[in-house]
Amino acid sequence: MARTLQPQELIDSAVVDPNGNKIGKVGNVYLADATHQPEWITVKTGMFGTKESFVPLSGAHTDQDGVHVQVDKDSVSGAPRIDADGHLSPEESTQLYQHYGLPVPRTSPDGRMDRGKAGTGKRDDRAMTRSEERLNVGTEQVETGRVRLRKYVVTEEQQVTVPVRHEEVRIEREPITRADGTAEIGEAEQDVVLHAEKPVVRKETVPVERARLRTETVSDEQTVSGKVRKEQFEVTDDDRKHRRS
């Protein structure tokens, strides 16, 4: 069930448009000068919530989901860029009301609208805001190079020892007896064919190994640096003595 807006509950609340789209989170609350009631909020949008846009609280309500406003996300994205420096001038307020198509209310005598303190809904005209820049560092994935796996052919000398056999000639002799008959003296020839084994080389292609490329993520740390500006407070008395903080 919707509840009445309470200033102390607005800071850091989620902001939702009529279509249920989350716009961002509440950064600051601006109070009407005459009533000291919340009239504007700034919504942190963009990467890391570094961008703030003014959103009207007219017709808004809160529940467990956050602050439900009556303007859509696109209108907030296109709102005029106004620094959330603690005050809204009459010109800035009028510009915002016209952007959102809302009637421009009558302003207080000094024409200002002030940012309220979180949790109280009250303003302090004597307060001064000190701001500083901060490094918002994120990461993005970039291409650092390409690695290629290829195969190529090389020639190398390979030696294999194989056993071989060959035939040799030797003379077999046996004695002859007289019973075998008589012999004649003369010349004669006998041929024998010799054989030998020799190596025969044939080539064959066989698969021996598979290879593929894959990537793996390795965690590391990198230190980045950058110059930022800071505002400092300085108190000066009538004797021109400075005290800084």
Side-chain angles (χ1 to χ4, degrees):
M1 180 179 296
R3 299 182 300 171
T4 304
L5 291 178
Q6 297 295 328
Q8 64 269 24
E9 297 178 354
L10 295 177
I11 300 296
D12 287 334
S13 296
V15 181
V16 184
D17 74 0
N19 299 318
N21 299 316
K22 183 176 178 181
I23 303 175
K25 287 189 176 182
V26 176
N28 293 303
V29 180
Y30 282 72
L31 310 180
D33 186 68
T35 63
H36 290 179
Q37 294 301 310
E39 190 159 354
W40 292 92
I41 56 175
T42 61
V43 180
K44 300 176 182 179
T45 61
M47 186 175 293
F48 306 115
T50 56
K51 178 182 176 183
E52 289 192 69
S53 300
F54 280 86
V55 177
L57 289 175
S58 176
H61 67 275
T62 62
D63 60 16
Q64 66 274 11
D65 295 327
V67 183
H68 294 260
V69 296
Q70 298 302 307
V71 295
D72 59 34
K73 187 174 183 179
D74 292 337
S75 297
V76 175
S77 298
R81 299 273 71 81
I82 296 175
D83 293 334
D85 58 358
H87 302 288
L88 272 180
S89 68
E91 294 78 9
E92 292 171 335
S93 179
T94 299
Q95 186 181 8
L96 288 169
Y97 275 113
Q98 290 176 345
H99 168 75
Y100 288 110
L102 300 174
V104 180
R106 298 176 61 183
T107 60
S108 61
D110 64 1
R112 297 188 311 176
M113 184 174 296
D114 295 329
R115 183 175 65 194
K117 292 182 179 179
T120 65
K122 297 181 180 179
R123 63 171 184 165
D124 186 352
D125 292 335
R126 299 171 299 174
M128 182 182 297
T129 301
R130 184 181 70 84
S131 302
E132 63 184 36
E133 295 177 334
R134 295 183 179 179
L135 295 179
N136 291 316
V137 182
T139 61
E140 64 174 345
Q141 193 171 44
V142 297
E143 185 176 299
T144 58
R146 291 180 180 270
V147 178
R148 182 178 293 106
L149 176 65
R150 71 181 185 91
K151 65 177 182 178
Y152 58 96
V153 178
V154 298
T155 301
E156 64 179 15
E157 192 75 21
Q158 188 178 69
Q159 292 184 343
V160 178
T161 301
V162 58
V164 294
R165 296 176 300 173
H166 67 278
E167 296 177 340
E168 294 182 352
V169 173
R170 63 189 179 91
I171 299 176
E172 293 183 353
R173 302 172 184 269
E174 60 182 14
I176 297 176
T177 63
R178 294 184 63 86
D180 293 330
T182 61
E184 295 181 359
I185 300 299
E187 295 183 355
E189 291 184 354
Q190 184 181 6
D191 293 334
V192 175
V193 178
L194 300 177
H195 296 85
E197 294 179 337
K198 68 175 182 178
V200 178
V201 178
R202 298 184 183 90
K203 296 181 181 179
E204 63 175 343
T205 301
V206 295
V208 294
E209 185 180 24
R210 290 185 182 273
R212 64 175 59 87
L213 290 178
R214 70 178 183 89
T215 62
E216 62 179 11
T217 301
V218 180
S219 297
D220 199 358
E221 291 184 350
Q222 290 187 358
T223 301
V224 297
S225 62
K227 294 183 178 180
V228 297
R229 298 176 300 166
K230 294 184 178 181
E231 297 175 343
Q232 298 292 342
F233 290 128
E234 179 181 89
V235 179
T236 306
D237 57 24
D238 293 338
D239 295 329
R240 310 305 296 173
K241 296 179 180 178
H242 300 277
R243 297 189 297 276
R244 299 184 178 183
S245 62

